[in-house]
């Protein structure tokens, strides 16, 4: 099948034909069940997610035996969300929501991340998914659209992981699996609590070892995660959470150019082998959350956290490129301490018809950044002479308020605003006659209002409209290098500010066990941040004028007896509305090309979606998934692209029930038809090595013990 098969009529079912079949399946259901009630962290405590004027999804990690395997499998059913495994554990999973976050060259930016209420996004907007404890996960909550802005800087969307809470009696869960490319995973989870249920605990450990799909991509990750909860007087609760991540020497195969990808998608670039490119990460953090009702109408919440993260990364920066006295070398050494707190109070009046929340938050990150040469004489890929030494501080202070009001039995209003101030400070300790003092500072502030109205024509239908403003500051990595090649921070960069509009509809039928949601959205951004040049292993950025992201999301699910169907489809048109100069080529220091107005924002397919059919036979469960994405531009000018693809996945499980628990066998065949495809792209890679190949047909076998 050709690589552009996603354009074929049968694959277009993901976005067009399949919704027609859903009502037929839904209304023919012969075993009515009640749809689960969920609580979404939208800072509205008395209102169900279904009634809010926003796109909110909750993924129940307990319901699907495969949802905890990886984030792409957990979030594949959420429209507007694009999660791409890079087959490279030296770099974090790529995540974007409605086009925000697509240009991140590593980690996650433009999307706000939380784990058990603790931010996994730093004050500058750079986040990591590596310490998400999916093995202990209970649910993942996703917020898209204007109301994401109430979470502050870089909130193009919000993803929150909540782990399970322990209860008495104690229980144990065990997972073991083996997969293609010598991939082994093991996890252990212990839950328990006091007999009166006042205290509960949950401890989990997870380990991954893999040789990797590609050459030079072996990795090992160990994650320990714990949660302790204790009930207080008068309905209060105290929760303590902590986790530790250890990921030593994860090999980085780097991206491939198009010829390399076509010749052998499993190869690593020669530069990766030459410089032994790799990355080590170690992170530990602790957090606490306190909730206490005050009488019958008020509740206070307080969260505090702190942690330490160290990163050492060996890059493939050529020796010649480090000859410049301004070079930061080819080895990055980061040692970061971070912490923060959030406090808010909520009042409810009139039997839940009016709810008001007021709060404030503060965060700080202290980072010691050093750079070294990646050579020592003729030896490459080793730590050499010091070339950079600086102390960076990022801090933020926010205040926010939000209200929800049932104006009439059918009309409901939600509105809020947040004021954010983000401050960057850098103190340069590496000063020579040829490398002057590059210390600097810059402050950003922004007010982000948002409002939405919900109309309820009937008990199972909601229509809504919402609008708001969000913003993205440059991260410290984007401020680090000036576009003109001079030393010092890029203090001239401005935050990107977006005006967001959404129109949506939600329908559900508890009697038929079906639901359908659709949303039209638009985000107009001014001062869009874009790559100005790539040179010598460094990326610098500029404000690229105006950009627009607009599209349609559709999700549906239904079940008839033992057969279920689920659909998630996204159409997205993301473009630069203004042209801007661009530095093409790895050695360029002065812009030599122009990105024309109307060019598509790279890293984003125009269409992507998932269709899933599953059968639940009690002891046996099977599922067939069709996942697809259209072509993706890989550079701002649109001169190169990764072709679209459609992949078929098969999974099955078998339960053996015993008096003390259940033994479950797991089988998954990924990319069943063994189609060659590009799994992810490196946007604007200066050497043209944009492509990170996805794996061919792969097999996973596993066993689980469940209480």
């Amino acid at each position: 099948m050709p690589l552009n098969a996603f354009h074929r009529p049968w694959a277009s079912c993901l976005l067009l034909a399949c919704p027609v079949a859903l009502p037929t399946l839904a209304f023919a259901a012969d075993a009515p069940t009640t749809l689960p009630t969920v609580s979404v962290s939208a800072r509205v405590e008395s209102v169900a997610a279904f009634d809010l004027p926003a796109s909110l999804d909750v993924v129940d990690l307990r319901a699907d035996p495969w949802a905890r395997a990886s984030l792409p499998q957990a979030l594949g059913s959420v429209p507007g969300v694009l999660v791409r495994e890079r087959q490279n554990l030296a770099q974090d999973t790529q995540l974007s929501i409605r086009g925000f976050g697509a240009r991140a060259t590593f980690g996650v930016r433009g999307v706000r991340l939380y784990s058990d209420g603790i931010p996994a996004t730093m004050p500058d907007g750079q986040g990591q998914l590596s310490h998400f404890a999916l093995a202990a996960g209970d649910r993942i909550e996703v917020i898209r659209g204007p109301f994401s802005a109430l979470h502050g800087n870089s909130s193009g969307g919000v993803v929150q992981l909540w782990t399970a809470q322990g209860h008495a009696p104690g229980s144990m869960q065990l997972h073991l699996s083996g997969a293609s490319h010598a991939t082994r995973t093991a996890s252990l989870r212990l839950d328990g609590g006091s007999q009166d249920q006042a205290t509960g605990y949950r401890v989990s450990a997870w380990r991954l070892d893999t040789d990797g799909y590609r050459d030079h991509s072996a990795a090992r990750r160990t994650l320990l995660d714990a949660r302790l909860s204790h009930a207080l007087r008068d309905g209060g609760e105290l929760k303590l959470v902590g986790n530790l991540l250890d990921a030593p020497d994860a090999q980085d195969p780097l991206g491939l150019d198009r010829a390399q990808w076509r010749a052998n998608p499993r190869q690593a670039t020669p530069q990766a082998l030459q410089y032994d490119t790799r990355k080590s990460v170690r992170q530990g953090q602790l957090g606490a959350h306190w909730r206490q009702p005050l009488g019958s109408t008020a509740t206070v919440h307080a969260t505090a956290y702190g942690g330490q993260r160290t990163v050492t990364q060996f890059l493939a920066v050529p020796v010649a490129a480090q000859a410049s006295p301004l070079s930061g070398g080819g080895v990055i050494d980061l040692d970061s301490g971070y912490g923060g707190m959030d406090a808010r109070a909520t009042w409810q009046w009139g039997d839940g018809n009016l709810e008001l929340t007021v709060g404030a938050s503060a965060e700080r990150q202290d980072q010691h950044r050093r750079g070294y040469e990646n050579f020592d004489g003729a030896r490459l890929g080793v730590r050499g002479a010091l070339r950079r030494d600086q102390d960076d501080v990022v801090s933020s202070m926010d205040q926010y308020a939000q209200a929800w009001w049932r104006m009439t039995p059918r009309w409901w209003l939600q509105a809020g605003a947040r004021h954010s101030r983000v401050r960057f400070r850098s103190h340069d300790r590496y000063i020579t006659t040829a490398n002057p003092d590059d210390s600097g500072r810059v402050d950003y502030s922004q007010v982000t209002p948002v409002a939405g109205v919900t109309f309820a024509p009937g008990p199972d239908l909601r229509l809504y409209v919402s609008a708001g403003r969000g913003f993205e500051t440059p991260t410290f990595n984007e401020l680090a290098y000036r576009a003109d090649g001079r030393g010092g921070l890029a203090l001239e960069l401005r935050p990107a500010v977006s005006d967001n509009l959404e129109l949506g509809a939600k329908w559900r039928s508890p009697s038929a066990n079906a639901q359908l949601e659709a949303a039209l959205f638009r985000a107009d951004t001014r001062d869009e941040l874009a790559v100005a040049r790539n040179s010598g292993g460094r990326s610098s950025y500029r404000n690229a004028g105006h950009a627009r992201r607009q599209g349609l999301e559709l999700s549906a699910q239904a079940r008839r007896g033992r057969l279920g169907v689920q659909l998630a489809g996204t159409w997205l048109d993301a473009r630069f509305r203004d042209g801007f100069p661009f530095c093409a080529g790895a050695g360029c220091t002065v812009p030599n090309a122009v990105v024309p107005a109307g060019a598509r924002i790279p890293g984003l397919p125009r269409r992507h979606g998932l269709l899933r059919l599953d059968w639940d036979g009690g002891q046996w469960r099977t599922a067939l998934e069709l996942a697809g994405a259209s072509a993706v531009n890989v550079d701002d000018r649109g001169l190169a692209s990764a072709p679209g693809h459609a992949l078929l996945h098969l999974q099955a499980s078998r339960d053996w029930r015993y008096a003390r628990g259940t033994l479950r066998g797991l089988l998954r065949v990924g990319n069943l038809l063994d189609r060659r495809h590009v799994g992810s792209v490196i946007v604007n890679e200066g050497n043209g090595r944009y492509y990170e190949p996805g794996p061919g047909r792969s097999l996973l076998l596993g066993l689980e013990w469940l209480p």
Side-chain angles (χ1 to χ4, degrees):
M1 181 174 64
L3 291 170
N4 65 349
F6 186 69
H7 299 287
R8 294 272 184 92
W10 66 269
S12 298
C13 171
L14 283 172
L15 296 181
L16 298 175
C18 292
V20 177
L22 286 167
T24 304
L25 179 61
F27 289 115
D30 52 16
T33 57
T34 301
L35 291 174
T37 300
V38 293
S39 173
V40 176
S41 297
R43 294 204 171 110
V44 181
E45 298 183 2
S46 62
V47 185
F50 185 71
D51 297 329
L52 297 175
S55 294
L56 306 168
D57 283 89
V58 178
V59 178
D60 188 351
L61 298 177
R62 302 162 300 177
D64 183 354
W66 293 100
R68 291 176 179 159
S70 68
L71 275 173
Q73 288 174 238
L75 298 180
S77 61
V78 181
V81 177
L82 186 63
V83 187
R84 290 185 157 184
E85 289 285 8
R86 309 180 67 170
Q87 306 304 314
N88 179 359
L89 290 178
Q91 306 292 344
D92 214 346
T93 302
Q94 288 185 342
L95 171 68
S96 64
I97 296 181
R98 292 185 176 176
F100 289 97
R103 64 178 177 80
T105 53
F106 62 92
V108 177
R109 53 111 56 248
V111 176
R112 197 78 177 167
L113 306 175
Y114 295 86
S115 178
D116 278 326
I118 306 300
T121 299
M122 296 296 110
D124 67 342
Q126 187 76 45
Q128 306 290 334
L129 289 162
S130 52
H131 69 286
F132 267 31
L134 285 180
D138 183 78
R139 68 188 188 278
I140 298 178
E141 302 174 354
V142 182
I143 306 176
R144 312 183 304 281
F147 278 92
S148 303
L150 288 178
H151 289 259
N153 179 27
S154 290
S155 295
V158 180
V159 177
Q160 303 204 49
L161 169 71
W162 295 99
T163 59
Q165 182 167 328
H167 299 282
S171 64
M172 179 187 73
Q173 293 188 24
L174 178 65
H175 172 93
L176 299 170
S177 68
S180 302
H181 320 304
T183 300
R184 293 89 62 197
T185 59
S187 66
L188 174 67
R189 176 174 138 186
L190 302 174
D191 301 79
S194 60
Q195 292 299 321
D196 61 0
Q197 304 296 340
T199 301
Y201 68 86
R202 190 266 310 146
V203 180
S204 68
W206 175 80
R207 175 70 171 265
L208 166 72
D209 286 276
T210 181
D211 288 349
Y213 164 66
R214 296 177 58 195
D215 298 336
H216 195 70
S217 62
R220 170 181 295 171
R221 281 187 178 180
T222 304
L223 180 62
L224 304 176
D225 193 83
R227 172 172 170 170
L228 174 67
S229 59
H230 180 69
L232 305 175
R233 295 179 59 183
D234 300 322
E237 185 179 43
L238 177 64
K239 294 180 182 178
L240 303 177
V241 296
N243 58 55
L244 176 65
L245 169 70
D246 184 36
D249 293 326
Q251 295 177 335
D252 187 349
L254 303 179
L256 301 178
D257 62 30
R258 195 176 187 88
Q260 291 170 328
W261 168 61
R262 287 189 176 277
N264 178 12
R266 299 191 63 175
Q267 67 176 305
T269 62
Q271 294 83 355
L273 303 176
Q274 183 182 19
Y275 288 93
D276 189 18
T277 48
R278 62 199 185 274
K279 181 179 179 181
S280 296
V281 177
R282 187 175 180 86
Q283 176 174 325
Q285 70 178 32
L286 293 172
H289 178 75
W290 170 66
R291 178 181 59 84
Q292 183 64 54
L294 301 177
S296 60
T297 61
T299 305
V300 294
H301 298 258
T303 301
Y305 70 96
Q308 192 77 20
R309 181 179 175 90
T310 60
V311 177
T312 304
Q313 185 170 12
F314 288 76
L315 305 174
V317 180
V319 172
Q322 299 173 64
S324 168
L326 300 179
S327 171
V331 179
I332 299 172
D333 189 337
L334 304 177
D335 189 356
S336 302
Y338 60 91
M341 61 185 305
D342 181 279
R344 69 182 187 271
T346 299
W347 294 268
Q348 299 175 8
W349 298 282
D351 295 327
N353 288 329
L354 178 62
E355 179 177 312
L356 174 66
T357 298
V358 177
S361 66
E363 298 177 314
R364 179 183 173 98
Q365 178 185 9
D366 292 86
Q367 177 177 269
H368 189 190
R369 176 188 288 265
R370 286 163 291 191
Y372 299 88
E373 294 173 343
N374 58 0
F375 62 92
D376 184 6
R379 297 170 59 213
L380 302 179
V382 297
R383 186 180 304 218
L386 180 70
R387 298 297 301 273
R388 187 174 191 175
D389 188 359
Q390 67 191 58
D391 292 322
D392 297 333
V393 178
V394 189
S395 62
S396 67
M397 178 69 73
D398 292 26
Q399 308 83 37
Y400 58 88
Q402 178 178 273
W404 185 88
W405 178 31
R406 187 187 298 270
M407 299 181 292
T408 72
R410 292 191 175 187
W411 290 92
W412 311 323
L413 170 69
Q414 183 180 355
R418 186 176 184 115
H419 175 263
S420 301
R421 180 177 295 275
V422 184
R423 298 179 174 180
F424 294 83
R425 304 288 185 272
S426 182
H427 176 59
D428 191 356
R429 297 180 177 272
Y430 184 80
I431 303 172
T432 68
T433 55
N435 189 342
D437 188 349
D438 293 336
S439 301
R441 55 188 294 171
V442 64
D443 293 358
Y444 301 113
S445 63
Q446 184 68 41
V447 175
T448 52
V450 62
V453 175
T454 302
F455 173 58
D460 296 321
L461 178 62
R462 302 290 183 268
L463 305 176
Y464 69 90
V465 61
S466 60
R469 174 168 294 174
F471 81 112
E472 276 182 88
T473 67
T475 67
F476 238 126
N477 291 302
E478 293 160 347
L479 288 168
Y481 307 113
R482 295 174 58 93
D484 57 14
R486 293 184 295 172
L489 297 179
L491 301 180
E492 71 281 359
L493 287 180
R494 300 179 298 277
V497 179
S498 299
D499 292 321
N500 299 280
L501 180 65
E502 179 176 353
L503 177 65
K506 308 175 186 180
W507 170 83
R508 64 183 179 186
S509 176
S511 62
N513 200 7
Q515 59 186 35
L516 176 67
E517 296 187 12
L520 286 166
F521 61 89
R522 173 180 286 183
D524 286 318
T525 304
R526 64 177 184 271
D527 292 325
E528 176 81 20
L529 290 162
V531 172
R533 70 183 185 102
N534 281 293
S535 179
R538 290 179 171 180
S539 294
S540 57
Y541 294 81
R542 61 165 292 130
N543 292 106
H546 292 78
R548 171 172 290 173
R549 299 165 175 88
Q550 61 184 352
L552 168 67
E553 296 170 353
L554 179 68
S555 66
Q557 57 183 340
R559 178 164 292 278
R560 182 182 184 272
R562 295 182 175 183
L563 181 63
V565 61
Q566 191 170 23
L567 170 76
T570 304
W571 174 80
L572 174 66
D573 184 39
R575 298 181 182 274
F576 297 108
R577 301 187 69 191
D578 295 332
F580 58 94
F582 177 76
C583 215
C588 172
T589 57
V590 177
N592 57 4
V594 174
V595 175
R600 289 169 53 191
I601 298 176
L604 298 170
R606 288 177 62 88
R607 294 174 297 277
H608 63 92
L610 177 140
L611 174 64
R612 175 188 172 98
L613 301 174
D614 71 88
W615 179 78
D616 187 348
Q619 290 183 321
W620 280 97
R621 297 180 64 182
T622 60
L624 192 66
E625 290 183 353
L626 175 64
S630 59
V632 175
N633 281 1
V634 297
D635 68 319
D636 285 336
R637 293 182 295 168
L639 300 182
S641 65
H645 60 263
L647 305 179
L648 198 62
H649 310 300
L650 173 67
Q651 57 196 41
S653 66
R654 169 67 158 87
D655 290 348
W656 292 270
R657 296 183 174 88
Y658 302 93
R660 294 182 176 271
T662 299
L663 179 66
R664 174 176 292 165
L666 300 169
L667 167 69
R668 177 178 171 86
V669 183
N671 192 0
L672 183 65
L673 302 181
D674 197 24
R675 302 307 184 193
R676 179 176 292 193
H677 66 288
V678 174
S680 60
V681 298
I682 306 172
V683 172
N684 288 316
E685 208 285 331
N687 297 286
R689 298 193 291 260
Y690 306 112
Y691 306 99
E692 294 182 305
R697 185 186 296 114
S698 59
L699 176 67
L700 183 147
L701 296 172
L703 281 175
E704 289 184 337
W705 175 259
L706 306 170

